[in-house]
Every structure is written in C-alpha cells, then in structure tokens.
Amino acid sequence: MKLALSMRLMSTATGNRFHAVKNQHLVNHLGYINGQFTAGSAKGTFPVKNPANGETLGEVARMTAADADHASKVAFDSWQSWKETTANERSKLLTRFSELMQHYREDLATILTLEAGKPLPEARGELQYAISFIDYYAEECKRVTGDILQTPARNRRLLSIKQPIGPAALITPWNFPSAMITRKLAPALGAGCTAVIKPSEDTPYSALAICAIAQEAGIPPGVVNCVTVGREEVQDVGRALCNSKHLRKVSFTGSTAVGKWLMREAASTVKKVSLELGGNAPFIVFDDADLELALQALMAAKFRNAGQACIASNRILVQAGVYDKFSAMVTEAVKKLNVGDGFHDNVHIGPLINAQGLKKVATQVDDCVARGATILTGGQPVAHLNAKVSLASTPFGGWKESGLGREGGHQGINEYLEEKYISMNIGKRHK
C-alpha cells in the first residue's frame, strides 16, 4: 500500500499544474521524516486546490497520528547529536539554507501563489521576509549567552547558562505558508532544537519545498521533519504532537480557539507553548490626522493578503470631523484595486483561500448591511475567484487572548531555550 501510494504521488510530482516551477525537486507530495520524503502510514491523499480557479494542484499524502509520533521520535533521536553542535556550526548551515532559499526564491514564490493565491509580487515579498528570519538567526544563535552571578559565599561560583529546550512541534497557517515556518524554524535550529512541522492542509507544498532546501543545505536527517495532514486528521495529529513524550515545545500560529485547545492538550506533558493567535486590530483616524498618510497606512494594513492576516485592521474608527472625507478617499482607493489570479499582471488582491473564507466574508457583509451599513463599492464575490508590520529583528506577539511568547528578535530564540542555574563549590581559597 505504501509503495503504491508513493508511486502514485511521485507520478504527479511534475504534473502540469506546477509546470512553471523550474526546479521540480522542490515539488513534493509526500511528508518528510528523517531526511526522506515518505507517505508514512498514509492510507490515502487529500487534494490541494488553486484558490484562483478551484483546480486541484495535486494530491498530498494524508498522514496520521502514527506518523506524527514517528516524526517526534525521529526528532528526539536526532536532537541528541544536534544539540551538541556549536553555534558556529549551526550558523554556517543556516547561512547555506538562506543562500539556497534565495537561489530558489522565484520557484518558491510560484508555489506559494499557486496554493495560497497571493499576487506573485506579494509572494516574492513573503519569501524575502521568510529568508530574513534565517539570516537573522544565523547570526543571533552566536549571541546566546549566560551570566556569572554574584555569590554570598566566598567558595562558590554561580552561573546561569542557556540550553536548547528540545524537539519542537511547529504548527503553521496557510496565510503566510513560508514566512511562518522560517519564523519558527530558524530560531529553533539556531538554538539547537529539532523540529516537526505540521503545515496547513491548504498550503503544504511551500512547507515541503522548504524541507527539500533544508536537505540540500546539509541540515542532518531528522533535524527537520514535516507531516502532511488533511482536515479530518488535524485534531488527532495535533493531540499526538501535544501529548508526545519526545517533544518539549509547541509553537502555533492560528486561531484563538485552536490555540486554547492546543494549550490544554500540551498541559498533559507540561510543554512550553508559544501561541500567535487571532487579533481584532483597530485603525483609528482622528480629525487632525494626515489623511493621505492614514489612507496609505490603511490600504497596507487592511488589504495585504486580501485581508487574511491576524494583524489586518478589523475595525476602522474615524472621528466625525473627517469621517465623510476619509470614507470617500477609501472608497476611491478600493475601486482602483484589481482582484484576480495572482499570476496576472496588475493584480493587487488574490482570491480568498477557500470556500469557507468566501462564506465568512459574505456573511460579514450581509450582517453589516442588515445593521444599516451602506455598500459604497464592491459587495459581491468576483466571478471564478473566491506592508511589513514585523521584522526579523523585532519581537512580535500578542497580549491576552492574542497569544503567548514572542517571535523575532533575540526574544524569538529565547522561546527555544531553557535557562539552567549552576552552583559550583570551588573549595578553599588560597592566598
């Protein structure tokens, strides 16, 4: 069964849906465990669709909780040697990883546009953003330090050192399928941790391409692993990762509801968790604001990735004195946005990721109209279609129900480190 499934998936790996990808070894339909692309114990496949036209890009191995367990054990075994590597050794591998990501950037952007629907220029921008995390942590991993502490006793030396926390589960979303992986994976590898990636079922190809590049960069087998999971298996696989005795950390980007569930599951083994969850960001315009500048900021904050981002402005609050003028300015700006296939020229906004996303937006529009809102432009789905706020060097994360922990900056690598206190008796001091 495994051989037959693998052969069938491999036979579609260079299918015409990915004909624009020049380096076809980046297109994979199997999971990645212990340095090998494998179907694992998958009993079937799940389809990945192009959101611009609804066509099936390919069928990906529908892996199971057993595969998550196996990948976790592999990550743990590989960690025994990976954690002993020096920061300089890890830095060189990350640098090579970054160079290859840059070399394959156009192919990676093509894959991203095919499965996520982003306009190609925006996909290229995401890849540059993704690469910036690898670059940053290739250097930051060499700056991890401890402390020498003051002691109350003359014959003692007190130290604190930082050590890798251990194998980590990295659960990533579909809206930034490359950047959200490297934002987690780069600091984890830099800290000396191994990883099991669980990408979204909507965008697994970007994750698998990153795995192929990590392999080519010389990152040892078992240090980076990836399980591809259909929607029906998500809960079982998530539970397996959270309950695994081989994993020490869970990092998740996604909805608040799922984040809460993962946190409860991870409590069974007292895992450290990082949660980057949903937001409800307000955009506020006062009477004395520079309206042109405010418009420019709003268009970037709201319409990037078709508004499919946790940091996208969900509430636009405008003071009464400039409300009419600013509303007219926004309406005219939105009218100029072109919605279409991400590969077409002069397209500003790609499709929503799937039918559920389209239904959600349509329901919100209907609700607003029912409550007295007036549609000034648009308001109907387009036929056949459904600004950098953070940097690698800055800590990004939420407060309250928007999440725990930080990604980016030196704080990002600390999420994959544990601090150890050491007290040494140095014996009697001699003059």
Side-chain angles (χ1 to χ4, degrees), residues 281-285 290-304 307 311-318 326-331 333-334 337 349 387 389:
F283 189 96
I284 305 172
V285 182
D290 180 330
L291 296 188
E292 290 293 341
L293 183 61
L295 177 64
Q296 181 182 350
L298 175 62
M299 297 304 287
K302 182 60 193 173
F303 292 99
R304 178 192 186 198
I311 54 175
S313 300
N314 288 343
R315 297 171 288 155
I316 304 169
L317 309 175
V318 184
F326 190 68
S327 178
M329 292 171 65
V330 172
T331 301
V334 171
L337 295 176
I349 300 179
V389 178

Side-chain angles (χ1 to χ4, degrees), residues 96-114:
R96 180 59 179 156
F97 190 14
S98 169
E99 290 170 350
L100 288 172
M101 289 280 290
Q102 193 68 253
H103 176 71
Y104 294 123
R105 189 180 71 139
E106 193 64 18
D107 278 346
L108 292 169
T110 298
I111 292 170
L112 198 158
T113 294
L114 280 168

